[in-house]
Amino acid sequence: MSVIEKDFVPVGYTADNITGKVTWKAPSNIALVKYWGKRENQIPANPSISFTLDACNTTTTLFYVKHNSKGADFSFDFFFEGEPKDDFRPKIEVFFKRTEHYLPFLRDYHFKIETSNSFPHSSGIASSASGMAALSLCLMDLEKQLNPEMDTDFMYRKASFLARLGSGSACRSIQGDLIQWGAHSDIHGSSDKYGIQYPFQVHEVFKNYHDTILLVDKGKKQVSSTVGHNLMHGHPYAAQRFEQAHQNISRLKPVFVDGNLKEFINIVESEALTLHAMMMTSQPYFVLMKPNTLEIINKIWEFRKESNSNICFTLDAGANVHVLYPEFEKEKVHQFIKNGLIVFCEKEQYICDRIGFGAKKM
Ligand code: PMV
């Protein structure tokens, strides 16, 4: 075990907490340089960088009651949007198993976990990032009560570390506004084990960037992220792709300083298409884009050419399109989205989001 992992194992607790509850709201995030491919224990095959979002988030309340003696199993009830949800239980069980070594109090309590999303469940927007981030923060909040001298930086770092064990990209959903995850030679302090706040200068233009999420396909994906990541093992282009992600993070450094939006667009759109190219060249191959995903991409390119706008798109592991644009183009782009893009959305649905500043205790 590395020094860092050892640091996350508590040596003991100075307080005892019998019963109580905590609530945290954690945001979703959208990667600019994509994480696709992982090694054992949720270690990313390449570094990634993301905008933390704001409107798309998960709120989780953790109620806890201490048992008289340590339980043989984890003991918890899980409620999603007010209803008991048994199909979520295995995910939580796995998460508790993976994190128990770092949270030795887990079997000491009975938990009730109540969670809800700000976005509709069937929107094609994955709630695993915001969900695992919110739950990790609730558990760290409890650990801070058991160890009141814990400092806040450590608490956030360990929350990111735990969230990663739940769902890789969740480690980028703890803080804001620009988060880097995965060891990179140019970024001092970067780690495969947790996300960090991007440590360099960032131009004002990126401080209030917009992300309008066009809901192209609200159904369940045919191929999960877990399966997709695994198909990068033995993928013919994997090595080049991982190297390219390192290079794109280096290329973004001067872009973030200067606010060079043309170069930003070039890197971000290329990353989105490369992610999907990896899917299409996996064995077995698969396609998550839909015809309307491509319609939207083409319309964005046309509009950018005609109007000299800085609008661009990115994609996650699905058919929905994230439309990115700076604050100063807000009116013009909103008009274009309403008149030109929402016809390609399922039931004309879309979500107006923007860059956010991280999770909050409620
Ligand atoms: O965290 P996961 O396992 O759901 O993977 C996320 C993968 C992408 O969204 C496609 C890219 C990313 O970096 O978020």
CSV table of all heavy atoms in Angstrom, one decimal, residues 228-265:
chain,number,residue,atom,x,y,z
A,228,GLY,N,-17.5,-0.6,-21.0
A,228,GLY,CA,-16.7,0.2,-22.0
A,228,GLY,C,-15.3,0.4,-21.5
A,228,GLY,O,-14.3,0.2,-22.3
A,229,HIS,N,-15.1,0.7,-20.2
A,229,HIS,CA,-13.7,0.9,-19.7
A,229,HIS,C,-12.9,-0.4,-19.9
A,229,HIS,O,-11.8,-0.4,-20.3
A,229,HIS,CB,-13.7,1.2,-18.2
A,229,HIS,CG,-14.1,2.6,-17.8
A,229,HIS,ND1,-13.4,3.6,-18.1
A,229,HIS,CD2,-15.2,3.0,-17.1
A,229,HIS,CE1,-14.0,4.7,-17.6
A,229,HIS,NE2,-15.1,4.4,-17.0
A,230,ASN,N,-13.6,-1.5,-19.6
A,230,ASN,CA,-12.9,-2.8,-19.7
A,230,ASN,C,-12.4,-3.2,-21.1
A,230,ASN,O,-11.4,-3.8,-21.3
A,230,ASN,CB,-13.8,-4.0,-19.2
A,230,ASN,CG,-13.7,-4.0,-17.6
A,230,ASN,OD1,-12.6,-3.7,-17.1
A,230,ASN,ND2,-14.7,-4.5,-17.0
A,231,LEU,N,-13.2,-2.7,-22.1
A,231,LEU,CA,-12.8,-3.0,-23.5
A,231,LEU,C,-11.6,-2.2,-23.9
A,231,LEU,O,-11.1,-2.4,-25.0
A,231,LEU,CB,-14.0,-2.7,-24.4
A,231,LEU,CG,-15.2,-3.6,-24.2
A,231,LEU,CD1,-16.4,-3.1,-25.1
A,231,LEU,CD2,-14.9,-5.0,-24.5
A,232,MET,N,-11.1,-1.3,-23.1
A,232,MET,CA,-9.8,-0.7,-23.4
A,232,MET,C,-8.6,-1.6,-23.1
A,232,MET,O,-7.5,-1.3,-23.6
A,232,MET,CB,-9.7,0.7,-22.6
A,232,MET,CG,-10.6,1.8,-23.1
A,232,MET,SD,-10.4,2.2,-24.9
A,232,MET,CE,-8.9,3.2,-24.8
A,233,HIS,N,-8.8,-2.7,-22.4
A,233,HIS,CA,-7.8,-3.7,-22.2
A,233,HIS,C,-7.6,-4.4,-23.5
A,233,HIS,O,-8.6,-5.0,-24.1
A,233,HIS,CB,-8.1,-4.7,-21.1
A,233,HIS,CG,-8.2,-4.1,-19.7
A,233,HIS,ND1,-7.0,-3.6,-19.1
A,233,HIS,CD2,-9.2,-3.8,-18.9
A,233,HIS,CE1,-7.4,-3.1,-17.9
A,233,HIS,NE2,-8.7,-3.2,-17.8
A,234,GLY,N,-6.4,-4.3,-24.1
A,234,GLY,CA,-6.2,-5.0,-25.4
A,234,GLY,C,-6.7,-4.3,-26.6
A,234,GLY,O,-6.7,-4.8,-27.7
A,235,HIS,N,-7.2,-3.1,-26.4
A,235,HIS,CA,-7.7,-2.2,-27.5
A,235,HIS,C,-6.5,-1.8,-28.4
A,235,HIS,O,-5.5,-1.4,-27.8
A,235,HIS,CB,-8.4,-1.0,-26.9
A,235,HIS,CG,-9.2,-0.2,-27.9
A,235,HIS,ND1,-8.6,0.5,-28.9
A,235,HIS,CD2,-10.5,0.1,-28.0
A,235,HIS,CE1,-9.5,1.1,-29.6
A,235,HIS,NE2,-10.7,0.9,-29.0
A,236,PRO,N,-6.7,-1.9,-29.7
A,236,PRO,CA,-5.5,-1.7,-30.6
A,236,PRO,C,-4.9,-0.2,-30.5
A,236,PRO,O,-3.8,0.0,-30.7
A,236,PRO,CB,-6.0,-2.0,-32.0
A,236,PRO,CG,-7.5,-1.9,-31.9
A,236,PRO,CD,-7.8,-2.4,-30.5
A,237,TYR,N,-5.8,0.7,-30.1
A,237,TYR,CA,-5.3,2.1,-30.0
A,237,TYR,C,-5.1,2.6,-28.6
A,237,TYR,O,-4.9,3.8,-28.4
A,237,TYR,CB,-6.3,3.0,-30.8
A,237,TYR,CG,-6.6,2.6,-32.2
A,237,TYR,CD1,-7.9,2.4,-32.7
A,237,TYR,CD2,-5.5,2.2,-33.0
A,237,TYR,CE1,-8.1,2.0,-34.0
A,237,TYR,CE2,-5.8,1.8,-34.3
A,237,TYR,CZ,-7.1,1.7,-34.8
A,237,TYR,OH,-7.3,1.2,-36.0
A,238,ALA,N,-5.2,1.7,-27.6
A,238,ALA,CA,-5.2,2.2,-26.2
A,238,ALA,C,-4.0,3.0,-25.8
A,238,ALA,O,-4.1,4.1,-25.3
A,238,ALA,CB,-5.4,1.0,-25.3
A,239,ALA,N,-2.8,2.5,-26.2
A,239,ALA,CA,-1.6,3.1,-25.7
A,239,ALA,C,-1.5,4.6,-26.3
A,239,ALA,O,-1.2,5.5,-25.6
A,239,ALA,CB,-0.4,2.3,-26.2
A,240,GLN,N,-1.8,4.7,-27.6
A,240,GLN,CA,-1.8,6.1,-28.2
A,240,GLN,C,-2.8,7.0,-27.6
A,240,GLN,O,-2.6,8.1,-27.4
A,240,GLN,CB,-2.1,6.0,-29.7
A,240,GLN,CG,-1.0,5.3,-30.5
A,240,GLN,CD,-1.4,3.9,-30.8
A,240,GLN,OE1,-1.8,3.2,-29.9
A,240,GLN,NE2,-1.1,3.4,-32.0
A,241,ARG,N,-4.0,6.4,-27.3
A,241,ARG,CA,-5.1,7.2,-26.7
A,241,ARG,C,-4.7,7.7,-25.3
A,241,ARG,O,-4.9,8.9,-25.0
A,241,ARG,CB,-6.4,6.4,-26.6
A,241,ARG,CG,-7.4,6.9,-25.6
A,241,ARG,CD,-7.8,8.3,-25.9
A,241,ARG,NE,-8.4,9.0,-24.8
A,241,ARG,CZ,-8.4,10.3,-24.5
A,241,ARG,NH1,-7.8,11.1,-25.4
A,241,ARG,NH2,-9.0,10.8,-23.5
A,242,PHE,N,-4.1,6.8,-24.5
A,242,PHE,CA,-3.7,7.3,-23.1
A,242,PHE,C,-2.6,8.4,-23.2
A,242,PHE,O,-2.7,9.4,-22.5
A,242,PHE,CB,-3.2,6.1,-22.3
A,242,PHE,CG,-4.2,5.0,-22.1
A,242,PHE,CD1,-3.9,3.6,-22.0
A,242,PHE,CD2,-5.6,5.3,-22.1
A,242,PHE,CE1,-4.8,2.6,-21.9
A,242,PHE,CE2,-6.6,4.3,-22.0
A,242,PHE,CZ,-6.2,3.0,-21.9
A,243,GLU,N,-1.7,8.2,-24.2
A,243,GLU,CA,-0.7,9.2,-24.4
A,243,GLU,C,-1.3,10.6,-24.8
A,243,GLU,O,-0.9,11.6,-24.4
A,243,GLU,CB,0.3,8.7,-25.4
A,243,GLU,CG,1.5,9.6,-25.8
A,243,GLU,CD,2.2,10.2,-24.6
A,243,GLU,OE1,2.3,9.5,-23.6
A,243,GLU,OE2,2.7,11.4,-24.7
A,244,GLN,N,-2.3,10.5,-25.7
A,244,GLN,CA,-2.9,11.7,-26.2
A,244,GLN,C,-3.6,12.5,-25.1
A,244,GLN,O,-3.6,13.7,-25.1
A,244,GLN,CB,-4.0,11.2,-27.3
A,244,GLN,CG,-4.7,12.4,-27.9
A,244,GLN,CD,-6.0,11.9,-28.6
A,244,GLN,OE1,-6.7,11.0,-28.1
A,244,GLN,NE2,-6.2,12.4,-29.8
A,245,ALA,N,-4.2,11.7,-24.1
A,245,ALA,CA,-4.9,12.4,-23.0
A,245,ALA,C,-3.8,13.2,-22.2
A,245,ALA,O,-4.1,14.4,-21.8
A,245,ALA,CB,-5.6,11.4,-22.1
A,246,HIS,N,-2.6,12.6,-22.0
A,246,HIS,CA,-1.6,13.4,-21.3
A,246,HIS,C,-1.2,14.6,-22.1
A,246,HIS,O,-1.1,15.7,-21.5
A,246,HIS,CB,-0.3,12.5,-21.2
A,246,HIS,CG,-0.4,11.5,-20.1
A,246,HIS,ND1,0.1,11.7,-18.8
A,246,HIS,CD2,-0.9,10.2,-20.0
A,246,HIS,CE1,-0.1,10.7,-18.1
A,246,HIS,NE2,-0.7,9.7,-18.8
A,247,GLN,N,-1.1,14.5,-23.4
A,247,GLN,CA,-0.7,15.6,-24.2
A,247,GLN,C,-1.8,16.7,-24.2
A,247,GLN,O,-1.5,17.9,-24.1
A,247,GLN,CB,-0.5,15.2,-25.7
A,247,GLN,CG,0.8,14.4,-25.9
A,247,GLN,CD,0.8,13.7,-27.2
A,247,GLN,OE1,-0.1,13.8,-28.0
A,247,GLN,NE2,1.9,12.9,-27.4
A,248,ASN,N,-3.1,16.3,-24.3
A,248,ASN,CA,-4.2,17.3,-24.3
A,248,ASN,C,-4.2,18.0,-23.0
A,248,ASN,O,-4.6,19.2,-23.0
A,248,ASN,CB,-5.5,16.6,-24.6
A,248,ASN,CG,-5.6,16.3,-26.1
A,248,ASN,OD1,-4.9,17.0,-26.9
A,248,ASN,ND2,-6.5,15.4,-26.5
A,249,ILE,N,-3.9,17.4,-21.9
A,249,ILE,CA,-3.9,18.1,-20.6
A,249,ILE,C,-2.7,19.2,-20.6
A,249,ILE,O,-2.9,20.3,-20.2
A,249,ILE,CB,-3.8,17.2,-19.4
A,249,ILE,CG1,-5.1,16.5,-19.3
A,249,ILE,CG2,-3.4,17.9,-18.1
A,249,ILE,CD1,-5.3,15.5,-18.1
A,250,SER,N,-1.6,18.8,-21.2
A,250,SER,CA,-0.5,19.8,-21.4
A,250,SER,C,-0.9,20.9,-22.3
A,250,SER,O,-0.6,22.1,-22.0
A,250,SER,CB,0.7,19.1,-21.9
A,250,SER,OG,1.2,18.1,-21.1
A,251,ARG,N,-1.6,20.6,-23.4
A,251,ARG,CA,-2.0,21.6,-24.3
A,251,ARG,C,-3.0,22.6,-23.7
A,251,ARG,O,-3.1,23.7,-24.1
A,251,ARG,CB,-2.7,21.0,-25.6
A,251,ARG,CG,-1.7,20.3,-26.5
A,251,ARG,CD,-2.4,19.6,-27.6
A,251,ARG,NE,-3.2,20.5,-28.5
A,251,ARG,CZ,-4.2,20.1,-29.3
A,251,ARG,NH1,-4.6,18.8,-29.3
A,251,ARG,NH2,-4.8,21.0,-30.1
A,252,LEU,N,-3.8,22.1,-22.8
A,252,LEU,CA,-4.8,23.0,-22.1
A,252,LEU,C,-4.2,24.0,-21.2
A,252,LEU,O,-4.8,25.0,-20.9
A,252,LEU,CB,-5.9,22.1,-21.4
A,252,LEU,CG,-7.0,21.6,-22.2
A,252,LEU,CD1,-7.9,20.6,-21.3
A,252,LEU,CD2,-7.9,22.6,-22.8
A,253,LYS,N,-3.0,23.7,-20.7
A,253,LYS,CA,-2.4,24.6,-19.7
A,253,LYS,C,-2.3,26.1,-20.2
A,253,LYS,O,-2.9,27.0,-19.6
A,253,LYS,CB,-1.1,24.1,-19.3
A,253,LYS,CG,-0.6,24.6,-18.0
A,253,LYS,CD,0.6,23.8,-17.5
A,253,LYS,CE,1.5,24.6,-16.6
A,253,LYS,NZ,2.7,24.0,-16.2
A,254,PRO,N,-1.7,26.3,-21.4
A,254,PRO,CA,-1.7,27.7,-21.9
A,254,PRO,C,-3.1,28.2,-22.3
A,254,PRO,O,-3.4,29.4,-22.2
A,254,PRO,CB,-0.8,27.7,-23.1
A,254,PRO,CG,-0.7,26.2,-23.5
A,254,PRO,CD,-0.9,25.4,-22.2
A,255,VAL,N,-4.0,27.3,-22.7
A,255,VAL,CA,-5.3,27.7,-23.1
A,255,VAL,C,-6.1,28.3,-21.9
A,255,VAL,O,-6.8,29.3,-22.0
A,255,VAL,CB,-6.1,26.5,-23.7
A,255,VAL,CG1,-7.6,26.8,-23.8
A,255,VAL,CG2,-5.5,26.0,-25.0
A,256,PHE,N,-5.9,27.6,-20.7
A,256,PHE,CA,-6.6,28.1,-19.5
A,256,PHE,C,-6.0,29.5,-19.1
A,256,PHE,O,-6.7,30.3,-18.5
A,256,PHE,CB,-6.5,27.1,-18.4
A,256,PHE,CG,-7.4,25.9,-18.5
A,256,PHE,CD1,-7.0,24.6,-18.3
A,256,PHE,CD2,-8.7,26.1,-18.9
A,256,PHE,CE1,-7.8,23.5,-18.5
A,256,PHE,CE2,-9.6,25.0,-19.1
A,256,PHE,CZ,-9.1,23.7,-18.9
A,257,VAL,N,-4.7,29.7,-19.3
A,257,VAL,CA,-4.1,31.0,-19.0
A,257,VAL,C,-4.6,32.1,-19.9
A,257,VAL,O,-5.1,33.1,-19.4
A,257,VAL,CB,-2.6,30.9,-19.0
A,257,VAL,CG1,-1.9,32.3,-18.7
A,257,VAL,CG2,-2.1,29.9,-18.0
A,258,ASP,N,-4.5,31.8,-21.2
A,258,ASP,CA,-4.8,32.9,-22.2
A,258,ASP,C,-6.3,33.1,-22.5
A,258,ASP,O,-6.7,34.0,-23.1
A,258,ASP,CB,-4.2,32.6,-23.5
A,258,ASP,CG,-2.7,32.4,-23.4
A,258,ASP,OD1,-2.1,32.9,-22.4
A,258,ASP,OD2,-2.1,31.8,-24.3
A,259,GLY,N,-7.1,32.0,-22.2
A,259,GLY,CA,-8.5,32.1,-22.6
A,259,GLY,C,-8.6,31.9,-24.1
A,259,GLY,O,-9.5,32.5,-24.8
A,260,ASN,N,-7.7,31.1,-24.7
A,260,ASN,CA,-7.8,30.9,-26.2
A,260,ASN,C,-8.9,29.9,-26.5
A,260,ASN,O,-8.7,28.7,-26.5
A,260,ASN,CB,-6.4,30.3,-26.6
A,260,ASN,CG,-6.3,30.1,-28.1
A,260,ASN,OD1,-7.3,30.0,-28.8
A,260,ASN,ND2,-5.1,29.9,-28.6
A,261,LEU,N,-10.0,30.4,-26.9
A,261,LEU,CA,-11.2,29.6,-27.0
A,261,LEU,C,-11.2,28.7,-28.3
A,261,LEU,O,-11.7,27.6,-28.3
A,261,LEU,CB,-12.5,30.4,-27.0
A,261,LEU,CG,-12.8,31.1,-25.7
A,261,LEU,CD1,-14.1,31.9,-25.7
A,261,LEU,CD2,-12.8,30.1,-24.5
A,262,LYS,N,-10.5,29.2,-29.3
A,262,LYS,CA,-10.4,28.4,-30.6
A,262,LYS,C,-9.6,27.1,-30.3
A,262,LYS,O,-10.0,26.0,-30.7
A,262,LYS,CB,-9.6,29.1,-31.7
A,262,LYS,CG,-10.4,30.4,-32.2
A,262,LYS,CD,-11.5,30.0,-33.1
A,262,LYS,CE,-12.4,31.2,-33.4
A,262,LYS,NZ,-13.5,31.5,-32.5
A,263,GLU,N,-8.6,27.2,-29.5
A,263,GLU,CA,-7.8,26.0,-29.1
A,263,GLU,C,-8.5,25.1,-28.1
A,263,GLU,O,-8.5,23.9,-28.2
A,263,GLU,CB,-6.4,26.5,-28.6
A,263,GLU,CG,-5.4,25.4,-28.2
A,263,GLU,CD,-4.8,24.6,-29.3
A,263,GLU,OE1,-5.2,24.8,-30.5
A,263,GLU,OE2,-4.0,23.7,-29.0
A,264,PHE,N,-9.3,25.8,-27.2
A,264,PHE,CA,-10.1,25.0,-26.3
A,264,PHE,C,-11.1,24.1,-27.0
A,264,PHE,O,-11.2,23.0,-26.7
A,264,PHE,CB,-10.8,26.1,-25.4
A,264,PHE,CG,-11.8,25.5,-24.4
A,264,PHE,CD1,-11.4,24.9,-23.2
A,264,PHE,CD2,-13.2,25.5,-24.6
A,264,PHE,CE1,-12.3,24.3,-22.3
A,264,PHE,CE2,-14.1,24.9,-23.7
A,264,PHE,CZ,-13.6,24.4,-22.6
A,265,ILE,N,-11.8,24.8,-28.0
A,265,ILE,CA,-12.8,24.0,-28.8
A,265,ILE,C,-12.1,22.8,-29.5
A,265,ILE,O,-12.6,21.7,-29.5
A,265,ILE,CB,-13.4,25.0,-29.8
A,265,ILE,CG1,-14.3,26.0,-29.1
A,265,ILE,CG2,-14.2,24.2,-30.9
A,265,ILE,CD1,-14.7,27.2,-30.0
